Each structure stands twice: as C-alpha cells, then as structure tokens.
Amino acid sequence: MYDNLIFGFMPSFEDDFFGEILFAKKHFDFVEITLDKDLEIYSTDFVQKIQERLLGFPVLGHIHWEYELLENGVTNQKIIKSIDIFEKLGCKKITIHPSSIFSMYKNINAIKHYNDYCLAKDILLCVENVEKGDFRGANIFEMMFDKLPEIGVTLDTGHALLIGRNELDKFFGLAKNLEHIHLHDARNGHDHLGFIKETDLKGILNQIQNLGKKTTVTLEIFFELNEKNRIPINGEKRKEVLLKQMGIIKSP
C-alpha cells in the first residue's frame, strides 16, 4: 500500500541490544541505532560483534540527543566519533539534533561542519526537528537551506504535533529535503506514543507517500499514557505495540 515507504525499528537502551537487532531483522526493513552516550563501550571488538549480528542488514545512525553540537566552543569530538562508528556499521544516513542552548546561526555553522565531514564519507546527514529551541518550527529549517541547501531533514512527527497539526503540515512542505521520518503520535502534551486512531496514522503515512520518493520511516514509540501520565514501555510489551502499529500500516 505504501510502496515508497521503508519501515525501521529503533532499539531501546532498556532491552538486550543484540536481541533488538534480531527483532528488527525479523519484522522490519532496517534498524536505526542510537549509540550509548558513553562511546567508550564501542571498542573494536564490540563494533565487530554488531557487524556480525547485522550481516549486511540496513542500518541508520541516530546520534545521541544529549550531545551538544559544540563543546567548549569547538567541535564536539563525541559527535565525530559517533559518525566514525556509524561509518564502520555501514550507515549511509545519520540523524543529528540541533542544540537548544545555541542560536540558530551557531547551530547552522556547527551542522555545516558535521555535514562536510559526512559528505566526505558519502553519508547523508539529516537534521531533526526538536522539542525545544529554534529548531522546533519548519520556518527555521527553511532558513537553514539558504546555507545548506542539500542537507537532509529527519521529520519527527510527534515533536511537530506538540506544536500542532498545522506545524506538521508545514514540515511536509519541505518535501525536497525530507529524507527520514520518526513516526509517533503526541497527545496531552506527550509524544513518542503509538497512534490510537487509524485515521491519524494513515493520514500521516499518506502525506509521506505523497513525497513521491523512497523514504525511511522509523517507528519511534517508547511510551504509553496512563490517564495523563506518560509511562515507558519496554520488552515484549513494546514489541507488541510496534507490531500492532505495523499491522495497521499494512492493512488495506
């Protein structure tokens, strides 16, 4: 039904990492890996073990969201190291998060540096719309394209929906640069939730399909609502939620 869409799974830090890779290989088209904030665990041997589990399975990179783009005013070497690790894993698309504590211009200048570094490795760098700071809204991304016209965008649907449905539509107006989607719902001021209404899920999927190009879509669902409180879901329960969402996606 969604011929242009390629669906992926994002492992949870709370579950067995290698088991999560096996789950992704069984039920999804790719896996999107977020590296642990402590990059020291990614020794040569550990990276090799990940490669052995992947066995050529497509993988996307997701730089840890808590890294600031600059550290003490200069390039954050943890981000550079993350890109190097992702290159070893065969990533051709990496998502990075702008820093809420920096101005738009400082963010763009830093992103340009990382983009140049990725281009030299034949990797597409995608900038994600975030929950706080300048890079919440689509208008800031349009300004970024003046300096970085070919940069990719990772559209996080839940982050946009926290602002409103109109904001999500504005992001779909950036069709030329939209390269990756983090798909989840937002309700009652909370995001990273599964969709309750099939019409809401398929309405967004139709907009992605209408981009008219192959687009990777990661189901980034990690929570559920208990009354008005957001509570984490892990293990088998999270897998059941994700497979139920995929069942809706694949239904006529």
Side-chain angles (χ1 to χ4, degrees):
M1 182 176 180
Y2 297 108
D3 298 334
N4 289 335
L5 310 189
I6 306 164
F7 292 96
F9 170 78
M10 184 179 287
S12 168
F13 286 124
E14 302 300 322
D15 294 310
D16 173 65
F17 177 63
F18 293 118
E20 297 275 89
I21 290 177
L22 292 176
F23 177 78
K25 293 175 73 173
K26 184 176 181 180
H27 298 286
F28 291 86
D29 303 311
F30 67 89
V31 62
E32 182 172 356
I33 295 175
T34 305
L35 296 182
D36 192 278
K37 194 174 180 182
D38 177 15
L39 294 178
E40 296 305 314
I41 69 172
Y42 297 99
S43 63
T44 300
D45 287 345
F46 189 57
V47 171
Q48 185 174 349
K49 287 179 181 178
I50 299 174
Q51 292 169 329
E52 290 170 354
R53 298 305 196 283
L54 290 169
L55 282 176
F57 187 65
V59 57
L60 274 62
H62 187 240
I63 292 172
H64 201 286
W65 62 92
E66 292 185 6
Y67 288 156
E68 300 295 352
L69 292 188
L70 298 173
E71 197 169 60
N72 299 320
V74 298
T75 301
N76 189 335
Q77 290 304 307
K78 291 179 181 178
I79 294 179
I80 294 295
K81 185 174 180 180
S82 296
I83 295 170
D84 290 341
I85 293 169
F86 283 134
E87 180 186 24
K88 292 176 182 176
L89 295 178
C91 294
K92 290 298 182 182
K93 188 183 294 184
I94 295 174
T95 293
I96 194 169
H97 304 76
S99 296
S100 61
I101 63 173
F102 297 140
S103 69
M104 176 187 72
Y105 297 104
K106 187 172 282 189
N107 268 295
I108 291 174
N109 288 334
I111 290 167
K112 184 180 186 308
H113 177 82
Y114 299 120
N115 187 52
D116 290 343
Y117 192 74
C118 285
L119 286 174
K121 297 175 177 293
D122 193 28
I123 294 171
L124 174 65
L125 186 66
C126 297
V127 181
E128 179 175 342
N129 58 307
V130 289
E131 296 174 81
K132 298 178 181 179
D134 286 343
F135 281 80
R136 292 181 71 219
N139 63 316
I140 298 297
F141 283 79
E142 291 181 300
M143 295 179 188
M144 179 175 64
F145 298 151
D146 290 338
K147 188 166 185 179
L148 297 169
E150 302 303 322
I151 193 79
V153 174
T154 291
L155 168 57
D156 187 295
T157 61
H159 294 172
L161 286 169
L162 286 174
I163 302 173
R165 191 62 174 78
N166 289 341
E167 193 64 37
L168 181 60
D169 291 338
K170 290 179 184 177
F171 273 103
F172 279 114
L174 309 179
K176 179 178 179 292
N177 296 79
L178 285 184
E179 297 291 346
H180 183 44
I181 309 290
H182 283 167
L183 182 63
H184 55 102
D185 197 11
R187 300 186 300 278
N188 298 331
H190 298 292
D191 59 359
H192 295 283
L193 306 170
F195 289 86
I196 293 177
K197 296 181 179 179
E198 181 175 328
T199 53
D200 289 344
L201 173 56
K202 291 199 170 182
I204 292 174
L205 290 172
N206 289 337
Q207 287 180 287
I208 304 171
Q209 176 80 1
N210 289 339
L211 294 174
K213 59 184 177 182
K214 290 288 184 182
T215 308
T216 48
V217 180
T218 297
L219 273 68
E220 198 181 19
I221 298 168
F222 289 97
F223 298 91
E224 65 181 7
L225 285 185
N226 181 4
E227 295 182 351
K228 292 185 178 181
N229 298 314
R230 192 176 76 161
I231 57 175
I233 50 174
N234 297 299
E236 292 305 313
K237 184 172 184 179
R238 177 172 177 254
K239 291 179 174 64
E240 289 174 6
V241 169
L242 291 167
L243 292 178
K244 185 176 181 180
Q245 298 279 290
M246 285 301 301
I248 294 172
I249 291 169
K250 292 179 179 179
S251 65

